């Protein structure tokens, strides 16, 4: 005769329970058993006394996503990341960096656009990667690291990929971190950037 666990009026047997080292484990509680329930066990020897058990359903709610527009005025966005200041940074195909301050409903309450990369050369620079150095810590004006290249113009410049650091309150302080990275003849350039936990790029 198999072991049966009674939770209120529900019977659990077989694969619903685990018997190990003299202990009985229930894989999952029956639906609707939240609150105080009576638990008892039936074995070949007989039925145990009923013991009250308080079950609390503290599981996290399912993750649900909704779609919508944050800003439709940013031309040709290519990459984005939240900075340590809580603002959203967006890189574009035109070499611009948009910095958005959002409220709790992800509505824009402030927007600033930096042309530091776009104005650094006469060539159109396309930003394809954006990241933040975690070792910099919390700051109101984080340094934005971007990867950018000269693309889509049919002129082969195989080693024009650059990773730059853009800083300052107005994102107007540009410093190249890595230069002469390879790209293709058309539209494959230096892409996403990732920092390790200790600041390795």
């Amino acid at each position: 005769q198999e072991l049966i666990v009674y939770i209120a009026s529900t019977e659990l047997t077989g694969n619903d329970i685990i018997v190990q080292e003299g202990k009985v484990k229930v894989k999952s509680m029956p639906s609707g058993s939240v609150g105080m329930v009576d638990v008892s066990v039936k074995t070949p020897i007989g039925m145990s006394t009923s013991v009250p058990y308080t079950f609390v359903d503290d599981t996290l709610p399912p993750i649900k996503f909704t779609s919508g527009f944050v800003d439709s005025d940013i031309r040709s966005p290519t990459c984005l990341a939240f900075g340590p200041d809580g603002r959203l940074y967006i890189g574009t195909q035109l070499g611009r960096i948009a910095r958005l301050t959002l409220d709790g409903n992800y509505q824009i309450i402030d927007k600033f656009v930096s042309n530091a990369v776009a104005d650094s050369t006469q060539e159109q620079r396309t930003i394809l990667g954006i990241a933040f150095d975690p070792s910099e810590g919390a700051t109101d004006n984080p340094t934005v690291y971007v990867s950018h290249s000269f693309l889509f113009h049919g002129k082969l410049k195989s080693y024009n990929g650059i990773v730059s650091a853009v800083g300052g309150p107005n994102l107007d302080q540009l410093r190249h971190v890595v230069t002469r990275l390879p790209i293709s003849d058309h539209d494959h350039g230096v892409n996403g950037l990732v920092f390790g936990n200790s600041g390795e790029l």
Side-chain angles (χ1 to χ4, degrees), residues 96-113:
R96 297 186 177 95
I97 302 171
R99 181 179 65 198
L100 307 182
T101 303
L102 308 175
D103 63 15
N105 296 314
Y106 295 98
Q107 299 298 308
I108 299 171
I109 56 179
D110 186 58
K111 178 171 69 173
F112 176 80
V113 178

Side-chain angles (χ1 to χ4, degrees), residues 53-124:
Y53 177 81
T54 302
F55 176 69
V56 179
D57 186 2
D58 58 356
T59 56
L60 296 175
I63 297 174
K64 296 182 180 180
F65 294 96
T66 56
S67 61
F69 288 105
V70 174
D71 189 345
S72 59
D73 294 329
I74 298 175
R75 292 184 56 193
S76 305
T78 57
C79 53
L80 55 81
F82 277 100
D85 57 350
R87 291 181 286 193
L88 181 63
Y89 292 78
I90 303 173
T92 74
Q93 183 181 330
L94 303 177
R96 297 186 177 95
I97 302 171
R99 181 179 65 198
L100 307 182
T101 303
L102 308 175
D103 63 15
N105 296 314
Y106 295 98
Q107 299 298 308
I108 299 171
I109 56 179
D110 186 58
K111 178 171 69 173
F112 176 80
V113 178
S114 167
N115 292 309
V117 174
D119 294 344
S120 65
T121 174
Q122 293 182 345
E123 301 171 340
Q124 177 179 308

Side-chain angles (χ1 to χ4, degrees), residues 18-25:
I18 300 173
V19 180
Q20 191 175 43
E21 298 179 354
K23 296 180 180 180
V24 179
K25 298 180 180 180

Side-chain angles (χ1 to χ4, degrees), residues 16 35 42 52 59 66 73 80 89 99 106 110 118 123 125 138 147 155 169 172 174 176 182 188 192 196-197:
D16 294 328
K42 184 178 182 181
T59 56
T66 56
D73 294 329
L80 55 81
Y89 292 78
R99 181 179 65 198
Y106 295 98
D110 186 58
E123 301 171 340
R125 306 296 294 183
S147 56
K155 299 177 182 179
D172 54 1
L174 179 70
H176 295 328
H188 292 276
N197 291 332

Side-chain angles (χ1 to χ4, degrees), residues 37-64:
V37 295
D38 291 327
V39 178
S40 57
V41 178
K42 184 178 182 181
T43 71
I45 300 175
M47 179 74 76
S48 72
T49 57
S50 178
V51 176
Y53 177 81
T54 302
F55 176 69
V56 179
D57 186 2
D58 58 356
T59 56
L60 296 175
I63 297 174
K64 296 182 180 180

